[in-house]
Coordinates of all heavy atoms in Angstrom, one line a residue:
Chain S
T287 N -28.6 83.3 -34.9 CA -28.4 81.9 -35.3 C -27.1 81.7 -35.9 O -26.5 80.6 -35.8 CB -29.5 81.4 -36.4 OG1 -29.4 82.3 -37.5 CG2 -30.9 81.5 -35.7
L288 N -26.4 82.7 -36.7 CA -25.2 82.4 -37.4 C -24.1 82.2 -36.3 O -23.3 81.3 -36.5 CB -24.9 83.7 -38.2 CG -25.5 83.7 -39.5 CD1 -25.1 84.9 -40.4 CD2 -25.3 82.4 -40.3
P289 N -23.9 83.0 -35.3 CA -22.8 82.7 -34.3 C -23.0 81.4 -33.7 O -22.0 80.6 -33.5 CB -23.0 83.8 -33.2 CG -23.8 84.9 -33.8 CD -24.6 84.3 -34.9
F290 N -24.2 81.0 -33.4 CA -24.5 79.7 -32.9 C -24.1 78.6 -33.8 O -23.3 77.7 -33.5 CB -26.0 79.5 -32.6 CG -26.3 79.4 -31.2 CD1 -26.9 80.5 -30.5 CD2 -26.0 78.3 -30.4 CE1 -27.3 80.5 -29.1 CE2 -26.4 78.2 -29.1 CZ -26.9 79.3 -28.4
G291 N -24.5 78.8 -35.0 CA -24.1 77.8 -36.1 C -22.6 77.7 -36.3 O -22.1 76.6 -36.4
V292 N -22.0 78.8 -36.3 CA -20.5 78.9 -36.5 C -19.9 78.1 -35.3 O -18.9 77.3 -35.6 CB -20.0 80.3 -36.8 CG1 -18.5 80.3 -36.7 CG2 -20.6 80.8 -38.0
L293 N -20.3 78.5 -34.1 CA -19.7 77.7 -32.9 C -19.9 76.3 -33.0 O -18.9 75.5 -32.8 CB -20.3 78.3 -31.6 CG -19.8 79.7 -31.3 CD1 -20.5 80.1 -29.9 CD2 -18.3 79.8 -31.1
V294 N -21.1 75.8 -33.4 CA -21.2 74.3 -33.5 C -20.3 73.8 -34.7 O -19.8 72.8 -34.5 CB -22.7 74.0 -33.9 CG1 -22.9 72.6 -34.2 CG2 -23.6 74.5 -32.8
M295 N -20.2 74.6 -35.7 CA -19.3 74.1 -36.8 C -17.9 74.0 -36.4 O -17.2 73.0 -36.9 CB -19.5 75.1 -38.0 CG -19.3 74.6 -39.3 SD -20.4 73.3 -39.7 CE -19.3 72.2 -40.6
F296 N -17.5 74.9 -35.6 CA -16.1 74.8 -35.1 C -15.8 73.5 -34.3 O -14.9 72.9 -34.6 CB -15.8 76.0 -34.1 CG -15.5 77.3 -34.8 CD1 -15.5 77.4 -36.2 CD2 -15.1 78.4 -34.0 CE1 -15.2 78.6 -36.8 CE2 -14.9 79.6 -34.7 CZ -15.0 79.7 -36.1
A297 N -16.8 73.2 -33.5 CA -16.7 71.9 -32.7 C -16.7 70.8 -33.7 O -15.9 69.8 -33.5 CB -17.9 71.8 -31.7
V298 N -17.5 70.8 -34.7 CA -17.6 69.7 -35.6 C -16.3 69.6 -36.5 O -15.7 68.5 -36.7 CB -18.8 70.0 -36.6 CG1 -18.8 68.9 -37.7 CG2 -20.1 69.9 -35.8
M299 N -15.8 70.8 -36.9 CA -14.6 70.8 -37.7 C -13.4 70.3 -36.9 O -12.4 69.8 -37.5 CB -14.3 72.2 -38.2 CG -15.2 72.7 -39.4 SD -15.1 71.7 -40.8 CE -13.6 72.3 -41.5
S300 N -13.4 70.5 -35.7 CA -12.2 70.2 -34.8 C -12.0 68.7 -34.9 O -10.9 68.2 -34.6 CB -12.3 70.7 -33.4 OG -13.3 69.9 -32.7
R301 N -13.0 68.0 -35.2 CA -12.9 66.5 -35.3 C -12.7 66.1 -36.7 O -12.6 64.8 -37.0 CB -14.1 65.8 -34.7 CG -14.1 66.1 -33.2 CD -15.1 65.0 -32.5 NE -16.4 65.2 -33.0 CZ -17.4 64.4 -32.8 NH1 -17.1 63.3 -32.0 NH2 -18.6 64.5 -33.3
F302 N -12.5 67.0 -37.7 CA -12.4 66.6 -39.0 C -10.9 66.4 -39.3 O -10.1 67.3 -39.0 CB -12.9 67.6 -40.0 CG -12.8 67.4 -41.4 CD1 -13.8 66.6 -42.0 CD2 -11.8 67.8 -42.2 CE1 -13.8 66.3 -43.3 CE2 -11.7 67.5 -43.5 CZ -12.7 66.7 -44.1
N303 N -10.6 65.2 -39.8 CA -9.1 64.9 -40.0 C -8.7 65.5 -41.3 O -9.2 65.2 -42.4 CB -9.0 63.4 -40.0 CG -7.6 62.9 -40.2 OD1 -6.7 63.8 -40.4 ND2 -7.4 61.7 -40.2
H304 N -7.7 66.6 -41.3 CA -7.4 67.2 -42.4 C -6.6 66.3 -43.4 O -6.5 66.6 -44.5 CB -6.5 68.4 -42.1 CG -7.3 69.4 -41.4 ND1 -8.4 70.1 -42.0 CD2 -7.4 69.9 -40.2 CE1 -8.9 70.9 -41.2 NE2 -8.3 70.8 -40.0
A305 N -6.2 65.1 -42.9 CA -5.6 64.1 -43.8 C -6.5 63.7 -44.8 O -6.1 63.2 -46.0 CB -5.0 62.9 -43.0
W306 N -7.8 63.7 -44.5 CA -8.9 63.3 -45.5 C -8.9 64.2 -46.7 O -8.9 63.8 -47.8 CB -10.2 63.2 -44.9 CG -10.4 62.2 -44.0 CD1 -10.0 61.0 -44.0 CD2 -11.2 62.2 -42.7 NE1 -10.4 60.2 -42.9 CE2 -11.2 60.9 -42.2 CE3 -12.0 63.2 -42.1 CZ2 -11.8 60.6 -40.9 CZ3 -12.7 62.9 -41.0 CH2 -12.5 61.6 -40.4
E307 N -8.7 65.4 -46.4 CA -8.6 66.5 -47.5 C -7.4 66.2 -48.4 O -7.4 66.3 -49.6 CB -8.4 67.9 -46.9 CG -9.7 68.7 -46.9 CD -9.4 70.0 -46.3 OE1 -9.2 70.1 -45.1 OE2 -9.3 71.0 -47.1
E308 N -6.2 66.0 -47.7 CA -5.1 65.8 -48.4 C -5.1 64.6 -49.2 O -4.5 64.4 -50.3 CB -3.8 65.7 -47.4 CG -3.4 67.1 -46.9 CD -2.1 67.1 -46.1 OE1 -1.8 66.0 -45.6 OE2 -1.5 68.1 -46.1
A309 N -5.7 63.5 -48.7 CA -5.8 62.2 -49.4 C -6.7 62.4 -50.6 O -6.3 61.9 -51.7 CB -6.5 61.2 -48.4
A310 N -7.7 63.2 -50.5 CA -8.5 63.5 -51.7 C -7.7 64.2 -52.8 O -7.7 63.9 -54.0 CB -9.7 64.3 -51.3
Y311 N -7.0 65.2 -52.3 CA -6.1 66.0 -53.2 C -5.1 65.1 -53.8 O -4.8 65.1 -55.1 CB -5.4 67.1 -52.5 CG -4.4 67.9 -53.3 CD1 -4.7 68.6 -54.4 CD2 -3.0 67.9 -52.8 CE1 -3.9 69.4 -55.1 CE2 -2.2 68.6 -53.6 CZ -2.5 69.4 -54.7 OH -1.6 70.1 -55.3
D312 N -4.5 64.2 -53.0 CA -3.5 63.2 -53.5 C -4.0 62.3 -54.6 O -3.4 61.9 -55.5 CB -3.0 62.4 -52.3 CG -1.6 61.8 -52.6 OD1 -0.7 62.5 -52.6 OD2 -1.5 60.6 -52.9
L313 N -5.3 62.0 -54.5 CA -6.0 61.0 -55.4 C -6.5 61.9 -56.6 O -7.2 61.2 -57.4 CB -7.1 60.2 -54.7 CG -6.5 59.3 -53.6 CD1 -7.7 58.8 -52.8 CD2 -5.8 58.2 -54.2
G314 N -6.2 63.1 -56.7 CA -6.6 63.8 -57.9 C -7.9 64.6 -57.9 O -8.4 65.1 -58.9
A315 N -8.6 64.7 -56.7 CA -9.9 65.4 -56.6 C -9.6 66.9 -56.7 O -8.6 67.3 -56.1 CB -10.5 65.0 -55.3
S316 N -10.4 67.5 -57.3 CA -10.5 69.1 -57.4 C -11.0 69.5 -56.0 O -11.5 68.8 -55.2 CB -11.3 69.6 -58.5 OG -12.6 69.3 -58.2
R317 N -10.8 70.9 -55.8 CA -11.3 71.4 -54.5 C -12.8 71.1 -54.3 O -13.2 70.8 -53.3 CB -11.0 72.9 -54.4 CG -9.6 73.2 -54.2 CD -9.2 74.5 -53.6 NE -7.8 74.7 -53.5 CZ -7.1 74.2 -52.7 NH1 -7.6 73.5 -51.6 NH2 -5.7 74.5 -52.7
W318 N -13.5 71.4 -55.5 CA -14.9 71.2 -55.3 C -15.3 69.7 -55.1 O -16.2 69.4 -54.3 CB -15.6 71.8 -56.6 CG -17.1 71.6 -56.8 CD1 -17.6 70.9 -57.8 CD2 -18.1 71.9 -55.8 NE1 -19.0 70.8 -57.5 CE2 -19.3 71.4 -56.3 CE3 -18.1 72.6 -54.6 CZ2 -20.5 71.6 -55.6 CZ3 -19.3 72.8 -53.9 CH2 -20.4 72.3 -54.4
Q319 N -14.6 68.9 -55.8 CA -14.8 67.5 -55.6 C -14.6 67.0 -54.2 O -15.3 66.2 -53.6 CB -14.1 66.6 -56.6 CG -14.6 66.5 -57.9 CD -13.6 65.8 -59.0 OE1 -12.4 66.0 -58.8 NE2 -14.2 65.0 -59.8
T320 N -13.5 67.6 -53.6 CA -13.2 67.3 -52.2 C -14.3 67.7 -51.3 O -14.7 67.0 -50.4 CB -11.9 68.1 -51.8 OG1 -10.9 67.6 -52.7 CG2 -11.4 67.7 -50.4
I321 N -14.9 68.9 -51.5 CA -15.9 69.4 -50.7 C -17.2 68.5 -50.8 O -17.8 68.1 -49.9 CB -16.2 70.9 -51.0 CG1 -15.1 71.8 -50.5 CG2 -17.6 71.3 -50.4 CD1 -15.3 73.2 -50.8
R322 N -17.5 68.3 -52.2 CA -18.7 67.5 -52.4 C -18.6 66.0 -52.0 O -19.6 65.4 -51.4 CB -19.0 67.6 -53.9 CG -20.3 67.1 -54.3 CD -20.7 67.6 -55.8 NE -19.7 67.2 -56.7 CZ -19.7 66.0 -57.3 NH1 -20.7 65.2 -57.1 NH2 -18.7 65.6 -58.2
L323 N -17.5 65.4 -52.3 CA -17.5 64.0 -52.1 C -16.8 63.5 -50.8 O -17.0 62.4 -50.3 CB -16.6 63.3 -53.2 CG -17.1 63.5 -54.6 CD1 -16.1 62.9 -55.6 CD2 -18.5 62.8 -54.8
V324 N -16.1 64.4 -50.1 CA -15.5 64.0 -48.8 C -16.0 64.9 -47.6 O -16.6 64.4 -46.7 CB -14.0 64.2 -48.9 CG1 -13.3 63.8 -47.5 CG2 -13.5 63.2 -50.0
M325 N -15.9 66.2 -47.8 CA -16.2 67.1 -46.7 C -17.7 67.1 -46.3 O -18.0 66.8 -45.1 CB -15.7 68.5 -46.9 CG -14.2 68.6 -47.1 SD -13.5 70.2 -46.9 CE -13.5 70.3 -45.2
I326 N -18.5 67.4 -47.2 CA -20.0 67.4 -46.9 C -20.5 66.1 -46.3 O -21.1 66.0 -45.3 CB -20.8 67.9 -48.1 CG1 -20.5 69.4 -48.3 CG2 -22.3 67.7 -47.8 CD1 -21.2 70.1 -49.4
P327 N -20.1 64.9 -47.0 CA -20.6 63.7 -46.5 C -20.1 63.4 -45.1 O -20.9 62.9 -44.1 CB -20.2 62.6 -47.4 CG -19.9 63.3 -48.7 CD -19.5 64.7 -48.3
V328 N -18.8 63.7 -44.8 CA -18.2 63.4 -43.6 C -18.8 64.3 -42.5 O -19.1 63.9 -41.3 CB -16.7 63.5 -43.6 CG1 -16.0 63.5 -42.2 CG2 -16.1 62.4 -44.4
L329 N -19.0 65.5 -42.9 CA -19.5 66.5 -41.8 C -21.1 66.5 -41.8 O -21.6 67.3 -40.9 CB -19.1 68.0 -42.2 CG -17.5 68.2 -42.2 CD1 -17.1 69.5 -42.8 CD2 -17.1 68.1 -40.7
A330 N -21.8 65.7 -42.5 CA -23.2 65.7 -42.5 C -23.9 65.7 -41.3 O -24.8 66.6 -41.0 CB -23.7 64.6 -43.4
P331 N -23.4 64.9 -40.2 CA -24.1 64.9 -38.9 C -24.0 66.3 -38.3 O -25.0 66.8 -37.7 CB -23.4 63.9 -38.1 CG -22.8 63.0 -39.2 CD -22.5 63.9 -40.3
G332 N -22.9 66.9 -38.4 CA -22.6 68.3 -37.8 C -23.5 69.2 -38.6 O -24.0 70.2 -38.0
L333 N -23.6 69.1 -39.8 CA -24.5 70.1 -40.7 C -25.9 70.0 -40.2 O -26.6 71.0 -40.2 CB -24.2 69.9 -42.1 CG -22.8 70.2 -42.6 CD1 -22.8 69.9 -44.1 CD2 -22.6 71.7 -42.5
V334 N -26.4 68.8 -40.0 CA -27.7 68.5 -39.6 C -27.9 69.2 -38.2 O -29.0 69.9 -37.9 CB -28.1 67.1 -39.5 CG1 -29.5 66.9 -38.8 CG2 -28.1 66.4 -40.9
A335 N -26.9 69.1 -37.3 CA -27.0 69.7 -36.0 C -27.1 71.3 -36.1 O -27.9 71.9 -35.5 CB -25.7 69.3 -35.1
V336 N -26.3 71.8 -37.1 CA -26.4 73.2 -37.3 C -27.7 73.6 -37.8 O -28.3 74.6 -37.4 CB -25.3 73.7 -38.3 CG1 -25.4 75.2 -38.7 CG2 -23.9 73.5 -37.7
A337 N -28.3 72.8 -38.7 CA -29.6 73.1 -39.3 C -30.6 73.1 -38.2 O -31.6 73.9 -38.1 CB -29.9 72.1 -40.4
L338 N -30.5 72.1 -37.3 CA -31.4 71.9 -36.2 C -31.4 73.2 -35.3 O -32.4 73.7 -34.9 CB -31.0 70.7 -35.4 CG -32.1 70.2 -34.4 CD1 -33.3 69.8 -35.0 CD2 -31.4 69.0 -33.7
F339 N -30.2 73.6 -35.0 CA -30.1 74.8 -34.2 C -30.7 76.0 -34.8 O -31.5 76.8 -34.2 CB -28.5 75.2 -34.0 CG -28.0 74.8 -32.6 CD1 -27.2 73.6 -32.5 CD2 -28.4 75.4 -31.5 CE1 -26.7 73.2 -31.3 CE2 -27.9 75.0 -30.3 CZ -27.1 73.9 -30.2
G340 N -30.4 76.2 -36.2 CA -30.9 77.3 -37.0 C -32.5 77.3 -36.8 O -33.1 78.4 -36.6
F341 N -33.0 76.2 -37.1 CA -34.5 76.1 -37.3 C -35.1 76.4 -35.9 O -36.0 77.2 -35.8 CB -34.9 74.7 -37.7 CG -36.4 74.6 -38.0 CD1 -36.8 74.9 -39.3 CD2 -37.3 74.2 -37.1 CE1 -38.1 74.8 -39.6 CE2 -38.6 74.3 -37.3 CZ -39.1 74.5 -38.7

Side-chain angles (χ1 to χ4, degrees):
Chain S
T287 60
L288 281 183
F290 249 107
V292 172
L293 285 181
V294 173
M295 205 60 218
F296 281 1
V298 172
M299 286 298 285
S300 70
R301 291 197 299 170
F302 185 84
N303 182 356
H304 293 295
W306 289 325
E307 257 181 286
E308 282 192 335
Y311 175 62
D312 202 74
L313 295 167
S316 66
R317 289 202 184 279
W318 172 238
Q319 280 173 322
T320 305
I321 289 177
R322 190 167 57 87
L323 300 176
V324 179
M325 299 199 77
I326 291 181
V328 170
L329 294 172
L333 293 173
V334 174
V336 171
L338 194 61
F339 261 106
F341 189 92

